[in-house]
Amino acid sequence: METQSGESAAAVVDAALSDLEAGEKKWAALPLTRRRDLLDQVRKLTSRHAEEWVDAASGYKGLDPDAPLRGEEWISGPYVMAASLHALSRTLDKLASGKSPLEDAEFGAAGERVTVRALPSNLFDALLLNGFSAEVWLQRGVSPAAARTNAGLAQLTPEKTNGIGVVLGAGNITSIAPLDALYELFAHNRVVALKLNPVTDALLPVFTKILAPLIDFGVLRLLSGGAEVGGYLVNHDKVAHVHMTGSAVTHDAIVWGVGDEASERKRDGNPKLAKPITSELGGVSPTIVFPGQWERSDIEFQAEHIATQRLHNNGYNCVAAQAIIVSPDWPQKDEFLTALRDAIDTAPARPAYYPGSDQRTEQAQESYPEAQRLGPYQGRLLVTGIAPEKAEPLLSTEYFSPVLGVVEIPGTGSDFAQAAARTANEEFIGTLGVNIVAHPATIEALGEDFDQLIEDLRYGTIAINAWTGVGFLTPTASWGAFPGHTLDDVQSGIGVVHNAWLIDRVERTVVRGPFRPSPRSLINREWAISPKPPWFVGNKTAATTGKLLTGFAADPRWTRLPQIFASALRG
């Protein structure tokens, strides 16, 4: 186990953990105002090195330097990082002045649960994401008063640190690793050893520059290497806690081992990993499409919307939609599926950069020989007309590649709602995110039955006429699996991240968006001025808009808005 320089990787890890032991003592003595200052320094460096970040990510993902698809790298990389740093800085500012991060929050109710409005959280949100909203649902029994009192988590007692946490970074969305490290440091008050996924090693020099204030202070160390390094690191005696983003297979290998050893350990309830672990894992995310009377433009827009849910980052997202639920009783079903096929087929070309992608696509093709090959390289797979009894491989295997299946469940109205919720809860592997697409008139007609559907769905993020990725991009929302998973049945993971207000006892986040983009939304009295969102795979100005949004997130100013609006409207 050696580094590229020939130095022992074990020695590098040992030295990093020794540094963090010393850094923990400094961190315990650091007041909240100085912690906030460190976050503000990191935000400035995120802005300064944002283009370098996007160039590095686009390079190993094989994106053309002039491609609009680079907008994905701007928005899911430095943009959300800068926005999260700003929100977390404001949380520390309030705590330092003796106030709750939720002092000015808008509370509501959903059934028996208290909700907190996470989006819009300010006037800028209301303008830039007009028509979108997000609520964090608290667990049953949590009152607004308790939520206010407990918001801040470990930063309520900053002098009480909790040892060294290891973060095993994701290999797909580039902001995940640094955001997870920030959550360990601030939500749990643990100093952090962050090991990057080998897929993202090209970002190590960039992250070293951006995270320099935390590295220099001694509370963060960046490490690289493969499974051997990761195994040595997570099992190290000096490590108190592990957090990982990845697959359930990797999680179980860390916790239980592999092969017969894993089976025996699971049977005996004897984990191989002798310390706590939290996780954000994948799964098979559904999109439920409700029957309704749609205009042709609605069909085309929502087809591109769902194609985006699958093809963003070429499908290498833990929350990428993999199975669409539709009703064969919907008169417009065939017209919608034709538009969906066209949207997938004509979406911009990109390489299959993530290891094993092509093999997983072939695995899906073997399970569904009738699947259609689509796209510029015929590398995208669409399977339609799947009856529930033939859906098992699609619903139990996270393909992590551009594979999309359409499962048909009969019914309309509340009957369809109940059947779709039951299928999503009981047949799909994972609970990270579920999307719902429904005409406003359908939602109105369902009334309380629609509200009950949202309550019944056991997912960490639910998106209504939006993609759950909007929840990922909202710093004040929570992100993670639905609560209740265990080490021996981990599904989409244990715990949450992001959550910049540091809210205690979160259950889920519910995101809502406009069924139609502006100006048709206004014509149809939906009162949303959002054009085609910049994260759509077919947005022509996504790269420009993403860059402008990143600049705004790093330094919010009114003078930046006109350029953003002009670019977004051309998308």
Side-chain angles (χ1 to χ4, degrees):
M1 192 167 63
E2 292 185 340
T3 63
Q4 288 182 342
S5 64
E7 186 179 9
S8 164
V12 172
V13 171
D14 290 343
L17 297 181
S18 294
D19 290 345
L20 289 170
E21 279 187 313
E24 184 184 4
K25 296 182 176 65
K26 292 173 61 181
W27 186 244
L30 194 67
L32 291 173
T33 51
R34 284 285 295 115
R35 295 183 180 197
R36 178 206 61 204
D37 292 344
L38 288 173
L39 285 173
D40 291 341
Q41 291 172 36
V42 174
R43 178 158 51 99
K44 289 178 183 176
L45 289 168
T46 298
S47 177
R48 185 181 304 170
H49 299 290
E51 188 115 32
E52 188 178 348
W53 180 337
V54 171
D55 285 344
S58 299
Y60 71 76
K61 294 184 181 185
L63 300 181
D64 188 282
D66 300 318
L69 284 174
R70 280 168 59 95
E72 293 182 357
E73 301 312 314
W74 279 104
I75 293 170
S76 65
Y79 162 73
V80 68
M81 177 72 169
S84 298
L85 288 161
H86 187 259
L88 191 53
S89 173
R90 289 174 64 88
T91 289
L92 293 191
D93 203 38
K94 284 193 173 182
L95 289 170
S97 60
K99 300 176 182 177
S100 168
L102 296 181
E103 181 187 36
D104 303 318
E106 180 182 335
F107 288 91
E112 299 176 357
R113 300 167 185 81
V114 168
T115 64
V116 182
R117 174 60 60 88
L119 178 73
S121 63
N122 54 51
L123 183 56
F124 286 141
D125 283 351
L127 290 170
L128 289 171
L129 288 166
N130 186 273
F132 288 90
S133 65
E135 292 177 328
V136 174
W137 291 24
L138 307 181
Q139 295 176 20
R140 281 189 174 89
V142 180
S143 67
R148 285 193 187 95
T149 298
N150 296 323
L153 298 177
Q155 295 305 302
L156 293 170
T157 53
E159 72 285 353
K160 184 182 177 182
T161 55
N162 294 299
I164 297 172
V166 162
V167 171
L168 301 179
N172 54 346
I173 296 299
T174 58
S175 62
I176 292 176
L179 288 177
D180 287 355
L182 288 173
Y183 201 71
E184 275 290 290
L185 186 58
F186 288 93
H188 301 296
N189 223 22
R190 285 189 281 262
V191 295
V192 182
L194 168 58
K195 193 196 84 66
L196 299 182
N197 187 296
V199 175
T200 68
D201 275 351
L203 287 164
L204 180 59
V206 186
F207 287 161
T208 300
K209 295 173 185 176
I210 289 172
L211 298 167
L214 300 174
I215 295 170
D216 293 345
F217 196 77
V219 295
L220 176 67
R221 285 293 178 267
L222 299 182
L223 299 164
S224 61
E228 255 192 309
V229 175
Y232 181 75
L233 181 61
V234 300
N235 290 292
H236 203 287
D237 290 342
K238 291 184 178 180
V239 171
H241 182 270
V242 176
H243 177 82
M244 65 160 290
T245 297
S247 70
V249 172
T250 302
H251 171 275
D252 284 357
I254 291 170
V255 173
W256 303 103
V258 295
D260 291 341
E261 177 197 15
S263 300
E264 291 174 10
R265 286 184 175 278
K266 274 194 174 184
R267 185 191 63 219
D268 298 337
N270 178 33
K272 180 181 180 181
L273 185 71
K275 60 197 65 175
I277 181 170
T278 54
S279 51
E280 187 265 86
L281 310 175
V284 176
S285 292
T287 294
I288 303 170
V289 180
F290 272 78
Q293 185 59 49
W294 295 12
E295 298 174 11
R296 178 63 196 173
S297 48
D298 297 334
I299 289 174
E300 291 174 350
F301 177 77
Q302 291 299 343
E304 185 180 359
H305 187 191
I306 293 174
T308 293
Q309 294 173 10
R310 175 72 265 184
L311 297 180
H312 182 280
N313 198 35
N314 208 38
Y316 312 133
N317 289 337
C318 292
V319 77
Q322 182 167 298
I324 313 302
I325 298 175
V326 301
S327 172
D329 301 322
W330 181 26
Q332 293 178 293
K333 183 203 75 173
D334 290 341
E335 186 182 2
F336 169 73
L337 292 181
T338 297
L340 178 61
R341 186 180 299 110
D342 291 344
I344 293 171
D345 195 38
T346 59
R350 67 174 95 202
Y353 79 89
Y354 206 86
S357 174
D358 290 338
Q359 292 90 328
R360 290 188 294 274
T361 303
E362 290 299 329
Q363 179 187 354
Q365 179 84 75
E366 290 173 8
S367 296
Y368 298 98
E370 72 278 17
Q372 291 179 283
R373 289 279 191 171
L374 301 172
Y377 308 126
Q378 300 292 287
R380 300 163 188 163
L381 216 59
L382 177 65
V383 196
T384 58
I386 304 174
E389 60 271 17
K390 295 185 179 180
E392 195 278 331
L394 179 74
L395 306 190
S396 63
T397 306
E398 183 187 13
Y399 289 119
F400 216 65
S401 64
V403 174
L404 183 64
V406 180
V407 179
E408 297 193 0
I409 297 177
T412 58
S414 59
D415 290 340
F416 177 77
Q418 292 171 15
R422 184 169 58 250
T423 301
N425 283 337
E426 297 175 7
E427 304 298 331
F428 282 70
I429 293 295
T431 65
L432 189 60
V434 57
N435 311 287
I436 297 168
V437 178
H439 193 288
T442 301
I443 295 174
E444 185 178 1
L446 283 166
E448 292 182 358
D449 287 341
F450 189 81
D451 295 336
Q452 189 62 52
L453 166 73
I454 305 307
E455 277 199 70
D456 290 344
L457 286 167
R458 297 191 297 270
Y459 284 81
T461 299
I462 301 171
I464 304 160
N465 290 332
W467 179 33
T468 47
V470 178
F472 178 92
L473 295 175
T474 302
T476 46
S478 61
W479 185 254
F482 194 78
H485 298 314
T486 58
L487 287 181
D488 59 350
D489 184 21
V490 74
Q491 297 274 326
S492 288
I494 298 169
V496 300
V497 290
H498 299 192
N499 186 26
W501 285 335
L502 303 179
I503 306 172
D504 192 25
R505 295 187 63 192
V506 166
E507 183 185 77
R508 69 180 92 180
T509 289
V510 176
V511 176
R512 298 175 191 267
F515 181 70
R516 305 176 179 91
S518 179
R520 288 194 305 110
S521 56
L522 301 175
I523 296 169
N524 290 279
R525 295 184 298 174
E526 206 171 352
W527 314 123
I529 64 170
S530 295
K532 179 187 288 189
W535 53 84
F536 268 41
V537 290
N539 190 299
K540 296 179 176 62
T541 61
T544 303
T545 304
K547 183 175 182 178
L548 291 169
L549 284 169
T550 301
F552 179 86
D555 182 20
R557 282 186 278 150
W558 288 101
T559 53
R560 294 183 182 271
L561 295 181
Q563 276 189 298
I564 296 173
F565 290 143
S567 179
L569 289 169
R570 293 195 303 270

